[in-house]
Amino acid sequence: MHDDDWFKRAEAALISTGRSLNEPHDNRPVVAVYGAYDAGKSTLVKRLLVEAGQPVPSWLTISARPETFEANDVEAFGCVLRDTPGIAGGNTRHQNAADRALLDADVTMLVMPPQLLTGNRDHVLARITGSAYRPVGLFTPESWMFVITKLDDGEDPSENLPAYYKRLELKRAEWGKLLDSNCLPTDAVPLFAISADPYGEVGNDPSPEADSYTAGCSEWDGVADLVSALRALPDRLSQLRQWTRLRRACTLLRDALAEAENLHARADQSATEARNRKHTWIAEFGEQHLQLIEVGRSVLSCEVEEELNSFFTRRSNDDEELRAKIEAICNGWLNRQLAALANLAHDSDARLPPLDTVSISVAPLSKEARPSKHKAALEPTLQKTLAKPFGKLAQDAIGLTQHVKLNGKTTNELKKALDKERKKEPTGPSVKDLESLLQTSQWLDHCKKAAPTIANAALAGIDLIIADAHRRANAEASAKEVAERQKLLTEFASSAAVMATESIAPLFAAYRDWLDAEAAHCDEVINAANDEVALSSRRIEMLRDLIENAPVPRS
């Protein structure tokens, strides 16, 4: 069964996991006495010590309760007898201690009561078949001794020896059936029927002699056969030690494999959790953080715009009222944003600087934004332009009256002259001339009377047109002034809102920095976990290969 190359590879693999074969240095076979706490292991060890002429140690006590709490070694027949804690007693620590004692044992003496494996049957069978050491099994029959004790309980073999042997054969058959059902040969390991303390005569006697045990029981107590088997073990130590070495190596490899698989699973879980945290948890809070900023800015803008619209609708000129309200709106918004950020930090367990109250103070409005009390001035050229046509009309009327005076005769005088000529010659040429002059004079008289009215109308028309022009000019100037004022007020309110957002921006940036740091930490965890997964995967593959290709025991 020698396979030096396999052992070298196994040793190297174990060293890489912090383990070592630590092969036993004792040159005597180690026999682990293994079994249930009530199987009579300590009683058997005590009887063997007496048979070997060895003193009984003080720790070796006999009781129906568990009395052995750790593995203890004694020497007998050129071997080291290792009394182990009882299994199947519900004490995991005792069972683990007993299982560990088997690793360095060259032979395992399985001690069973008449009921055989009443508890932890699968656990014990896994060690007999070797499936506890490697999946395909590692059965080494030379490394086992099967012992049934207490067959004399309830019936004295001395009085009915055939019945005792018949009972023994039934137990052998029952044990053989159990082995066969687990694909184990029924005759590869000897089965000893032992009555270590017939009738319980010795019990807890600390220093019994060989003849302390009832005489006449040697024919059926089976102790002699077991002693002979123990005496033969030192001569087979080399072969036994090879199997011990193989069993121990496979056990340590299985432990290393379980550890590597556990590390692989934990690393994979760690990477998965980090990825989930980054892509789900951190991303979710990042989205909430962004929404808080964007929605917050939108809300502040709407509140400021609403206040401006109200101010413009009222046509208010109270600039201080507007400044105070804009300042109140900004500070109220800041408090709400700060509270929302604090809640977000609490929900995400973010480590941020203290979130103290934040407020701003809005400066008074500039003079340019205040309403003007001056009216628009009418262009002088407008008056000249309007006065020219109306002035000419007035002058023409005045000129006509002056023209009448230049003829030298008034209308009355023309009337008298016409009457005189009509008397002389009613249809003469002079009459027609005078009639024409009279009509013209009358028309001129009419014009003379209308001239002041025309002049006054012209001047009144000028005043009306000029007044209307003034109204139009003032309206245009007022609209322009209002638009400019609204623009300045809007810029003022916007600057206040910008001041508010900038005052709280460092706190939001600190939270974003924390999220970025958490994401970077997740990346570090993911990378480290992936490295561990890759390393453990290679180690798992190596360990499985070693376990599956372990040397096959050969007699």
Side-chain angles (χ1 to χ4, degrees):
M1 74 174 254
H2 293 288
D3 196 327
D4 293 337
D5 180 64
W6 183 90
F7 276 104
K8 288 179 181 178
R9 290 172 55 217
E11 179 69 17
L14 290 172
I15 290 174
S16 70
T17 65
R19 294 172 173 80
S20 176
L21 280 175
N22 289 329
E23 299 180 27
H25 300 291
D26 202 312
N27 58 0
R28 297 166 297 177
V30 177
V31 180
V33 183
Y34 182 78
Y37 74 92
D38 59 349
K41 300 188 305 299
S42 296
T43 300
L44 176 58
V45 172
K46 183 175 183 178
R47 173 68 182 274
L48 292 174
L49 287 176
V50 172
E51 292 293 328
Q54 298 290 339
V56 177
S58 59
W59 52 261
L60 189 59
T61 58
I62 310 302
S63 172
R65 301 186 307 274
E67 294 290 342
T68 303
F69 307 115
E70 59 184 9
N72 295 290
D73 293 348
V74 292
E75 183 179 358
F77 312 114
C79 302
V80 175
L81 301 182
R82 178 166 296 163
D83 191 17
T84 65
I87 63 172
N91 191 312
T92 303
R93 184 170 62 88
H94 288 180
Q95 181 162 298
N96 291 338
D99 291 339
R100 284 194 303 272
L102 301 187
L103 291 181
D104 294 331
D106 300 303
V107 174
T108 299
M109 182 185 296
L110 176 60
V111 181
M112 301 173 286
Q115 297 83 4
L116 302 179
L117 299 179
T118 55
N120 284 27
R121 172 182 293 190
D122 293 338
H123 183 84
V124 174
L125 287 172
R127 275 135 191 86
I128 296 174
T129 62
S131 61
Y133 311 118
R134 67 173 187 171
V136 297
L138 187 63
F139 179 54
T140 55
E142 290 83 355
S143 300
W144 285 91
M145 291 181 172
F146 299 147
V147 176
I148 301 177
T149 63
K150 303 182 182 181
L151 280 178
D152 57 329
D153 286 358
E155 185 176 350
D156 186 357
S158 299
E159 295 180 356
N160 192 347
L161 194 57
Y164 173 77
Y165 286 139
K166 183 177 181 179
R167 185 181 180 192
L168 174 58
E169 289 305 316
L170 291 174
K171 286 298 171 184
R172 288 184 186 275
E174 182 182 349
W175 177 245
K177 184 178 181 180
L178 179 60
L179 294 177
D180 184 64
S181 65
N182 286 273
C183 301
L184 293 172
T186 59
D187 56 354
V189 180
L191 177 64
F192 300 93
I194 303 295
S195 179
D197 184 13
Y199 312 123
E201 293 291 336
V202 174
N204 266 322
D205 184 350
S207 303
E209 299 293 336
D211 58 1
S212 298
Y213 293 94
T214 303
C217 297
S218 58
E219 181 181 358
W220 51 267
D221 64 13
V223 174
D225 292 338
L226 182 59
V227 168
S228 297
L230 290 172
R231 292 184 187 277
L233 292 180
D235 294 336
R236 298 192 290 117
L237 178 60
S238 176
Q239 183 186 45
L240 294 173
R241 192 60 50 89
Q242 291 173 4
W243 292 328
T244 302
R245 184 187 186 198
L246 177 60
R247 185 169 56 252
R248 179 173 177 79
C250 287
T251 299
L252 294 175
L253 288 172
R254 284 287 294 271
D255 291 344
L257 176 60
E259 181 183 75
E261 290 174 338
N262 184 47
L263 286 174
H264 183 282
R266 285 189 297 172
D268 187 62
Q269 181 180 2
S270 178
T272 300
E273 290 175 352
R275 280 192 293 269
N276 289 340
R277 178 179 174 82
K278 178 181 179 181
H279 298 301
T280 302
W281 190 83
I282 294 178
E284 178 181 345
F285 282 110
E287 183 64 24
Q288 292 182 31
H289 170 261
L290 184 60
Q291 288 182 357
L292 183 58
I293 294 175
E294 293 179 347
V295 173
R297 288 176 178 171
S298 176
V299 168
L300 178 59
S301 177
C302 289
E303 291 181 355
V304 169
E305 183 178 356
E306 182 178 350
E307 180 57 35
L308 280 173
N309 290 337
S310 175
F311 186 79
F312 296 149
T313 301
R314 298 195 312 271
R315 297 185 179 181
S316 174
N317 291 326
D318 191 345
D319 296 347
E320 176 57 28
E321 177 193 6
L322 177 63
R323 185 203 65 79
K325 287 188 175 181
I326 293 296
E327 183 177 283
I329 287 173
C330 290
N331 286 327
W333 176 83
L334 281 172
N335 290 331
R336 296 195 302 275
Q337 285 291 96
L338 191 64
L341 180 60
N343 290 334
L344 189 62
H346 177 269
D347 293 342
S348 57
D349 295 327
R351 294 181 293 276
L352 296 179
L355 301 179
D356 298 325
T357 301
V358 179
S359 63
I360 62 169
S361 178
V362 179
L365 278 74
S366 64
K367 293 182 179 180
E368 291 78 4
R370 297 174 183 172
S372 174
K373 296 182 180 179
H374 299 289
K375 294 184 178 180
L378 192 65
E379 291 285 344
T381 55
L382 179 62
Q383 287 182 325
K384 295 179 181 179
T385 302
L386 292 174
K388 187 174 181 180
F390 285 94
K392 186 177 184 301
L393 179 61
Q395 290 298 323
D396 288 345
I398 294 171
L400 285 173
T401 59
Q402 290 176 349
H403 175 69
V404 172
K405 290 179 180 179
L406 290 176
N407 288 332
K409 291 182 179 181
T410 63
T411 301
N412 291 328
E413 290 175 343
L414 288 173
K415 282 181 179 181
K416 289 178 179 181
L418 177 60
D419 290 338
K420 190 183 286 187
E421 288 295 326
R422 282 177 177 172
K423 289 177 179 180
K424 294 178 178 181
E425 191 177 354
T427 59
S430 58
V431 172
K432 292 182 179 179
D433 292 337
L434 287 172
E435 287 178 350
S436 176
L437 286 172
L438 178 61
Q439 289 179 355
T440 302
S441 179
Q442 289 175 342
W443 180 78
L444 289 174
D445 285 342
H446 178 75
C447 288
K448 181 179 178 180
K449 291 178 181 179
T453 303
I454 292 171
N456 290 334
L459 293 176
I462 292 173
D463 288 340
L464 288 173
I465 294 173
I466 290 174
D468 183 66
H470 270 290
R471 285 194 297 274
R472 290 177 180 274
N474 285 330
E476 291 177 1
S478 177
K480 182 177 180 181
E481 180 184 332
V482 168
E484 185 65 25
R485 173 170 161 76
Q486 288 184 354
K487 178 182 177 182
L488 291 172
L489 290 176
T490 302
E491 291 175 352
F492 160 78
S494 298
S495 65
V498 170
M499 185 192 307
T501 56
E502 289 179 349
S503 67
I504 204 172
L507 295 175
F508 278 87
Y511 184 79
R512 180 70 260 178
D513 291 343
W514 178 81
L515 285 176
D516 292 341
E518 285 294 301
H521 175 67
C522 287
D523 287 336
E524 293 175 359
V525 172
I526 292 170
N527 292 334
N530 287 339
D531 291 343
E532 181 61 36
V533 167
L535 177 62
S536 58
S537 295
R538 291 192 297 270
R539 183 169 293 167
I540 289 171
E541 183 179 358
M542 174 187 65
L543 293 171
R544 284 177 177 171
D545 178 71
L546 284 169
I547 293 171
E548 292 172 1
N549 294 286
V552 178
R554 295 186 296 272
S555 301

